[in-house]
Amino acid sequence: MPKLRAAIIGCGGMARRHLIGYQHSGRYEIIALADLHEAAMQEYDGEFDLQTTHYSDAREMMEKERPDVVSIGTWHSGHAEWTIAASAYRPKAILCEKPMADTPGRAEQMLVACTRNDVKLVIGHQRRFLPAYTLAKNLIADGAIGKVEWIHSLGGQGLPNFCTHQTDMFRYLLGDEECVWVMGNVERKTDRYERETRIEDRAVATFMFESGAKASILCDVTDSWYQGAKIYGSEGMIDVTTTDLRLMNSSTNGWEEHTPDPQHADPSERQFEYLEAGTAQAVELADWLEGEAETHRGEATHGYKALQMIHAVYESARCHERVEMPLQTRVNPLDVMVESGQLPVERPGKYEIRAFRLRGEGMESDQEMSS
């Protein structure tokens, strides 16, 4: 079968991981790149042995190249703009990096634009494809720890980027069960941003799901944090990370260690989770487009719900109440709190924790296309 023709908008660190998945899957040909920096595109060509056409205008790229698949690798505020723009040219699919957008309302617009243009939209929560996560999901579904009572995770670097992986993970582990309410609070004394999205200094959050399972995140509260979770059930426990899993129940005689076999990468590799999960994400997307899969684990409604859960934490802090889901507020409640004076900056001086990813003299992402 002919390879899918793929193009990338925003040649930064995260789209690089999309490209790794495309190449390792063997199902795609990378035909074009769009970025405001020629050097970024040249680095991609050199690193991945590509011969692509370069564009500083992504709309021109879409018009001339008409790719089958488009990756959006811009900073968060560009996700909606470039997904909506790309969808107007009707590619078969768009893979947009997470978080889905900088506000729930903009994420909703992405869904509308892709639906009306008949474009399949995937959000890059690639950890759904990690063997350890899928084993944990299957063990839970099989009743290995009884009824799930609590899932606990530790996050960092703000809720929107790092912790949307965790809210998405909660839903994945529970079979994509719906979150019914959220309650949380934030601390923000500094003027802190992550990829030009305003973030908090610290946050705590609790989530309730339809089955009665609860989940929690401590973000930047503890000295250490990681992707994964401790899952407590009525009849046992699971401790899952990106590479392995420990199970304890009445039949295991203590902790039982599991390192599920990957399909695409060696667990000892430094970039294992991006090689393994990114490749599996690309394979399943190709299967979905070619009719070999009914859906995709990263289909955009999952990314939308994960984003809503994060912004519901901010809304809970703004309104001092438990927030019922689905979230009705479409702007970023943290922005509203700061800009209204409800959450004043006590230690002035805007700073971007991802400034090291910018090029040249750039310190803010006003005109940056890549992340």
Side-chain angles (χ1 to χ4, degrees), residues 32-208:
L33 306 173
D35 198 283
L36 295 177
H37 292 277
E38 175 62 27
M41 296 183 281
Q42 290 177 0
E43 286 175 14
Y44 267 39
D45 284 348
E47 180 177 351
F48 297 103
D49 193 24
L50 302 175
Q51 292 183 334
T52 60
T53 305
H54 296 174
Y55 294 87
S56 60
D57 182 339
R59 289 178 177 85
E60 180 185 3
M61 179 186 76
M62 294 300 301
E63 176 66 36
K64 290 183 176 179
E65 302 291 343
R66 298 288 173 161
D68 299 314
V69 176
V70 183
S71 271
I72 309 295
T74 65
W75 281 27
H76 311 329
S77 59
H79 289 180
E81 176 186 353
W82 290 111
T83 296
I84 293 167
S87 74
Y89 296 89
R90 297 179 179 265
K92 293 179 180 179
I94 295 172
L95 170 58
C96 179
E97 184 50 35
K98 61 91 199 69
M100 185 170 177
D102 53 348
T103 71
R106 292 292 275 161
E108 189 176 76
Q109 291 172 353
M110 293 163 68
L111 293 173
V112 170
C114 288
T115 297
R116 74 186 179 206
N117 288 305
D118 195 26
V119 177
K120 290 178 166 60
L121 177 59
V122 169
I123 306 303
H125 286 292
Q126 79 283 346
R127 291 185 176 94
R128 284 176 169 252
F129 295 88
L130 289 172
Y133 277 35
T134 299
L135 176 58
K137 175 182 182 292
N138 292 339
L139 287 169
I140 289 168
D142 292 341
I145 60 170
K147 184 178 183 294
V148 173
E149 296 178 346
W150 201 279
I151 309 174
H152 181 57
S153 286
L154 302 175
Q157 299 182 338
L159 288 172
N161 181 53
F162 191 94
C163 296
T164 51
H165 272 305
Q166 295 173 329
T167 54
D168 186 68
M169 174 192 64
F170 297 153
R171 295 190 66 252
Y172 183 62
L173 292 174
L174 296 171
D176 287 318
E177 196 174 292
E178 299 297 338
C179 178
V180 295
W181 60 254
V182 178
M183 193 163 187
N185 207 349
V186 302
E187 171 190 325
R188 192 177 194 271
K189 305 287 188 179
T190 68
D191 202 13
R192 189 178 185 220
Y193 287 73
E194 190 274 327
R195 291 189 175 95
E196 201 59 16
T197 297
R198 187 179 272 122
I199 59 173
E200 74 290 344
D201 294 332
R202 297 179 182 86
V204 295
T206 301
F207 308 88
M208 172 68 81

Side-chain angles (χ1 to χ4, degrees), residues 323-345:
V323 174
E324 307 300 318
M325 300 296 283
L327 180 66
Q328 299 301 307
T329 300
R330 288 174 168 81
V331 297
N332 184 333
L334 183 62
D335 287 342
V336 174
M337 284 190 284
V338 174
E339 292 165 9
S340 69
Q342 181 181 347
L343 193 60
V345 174

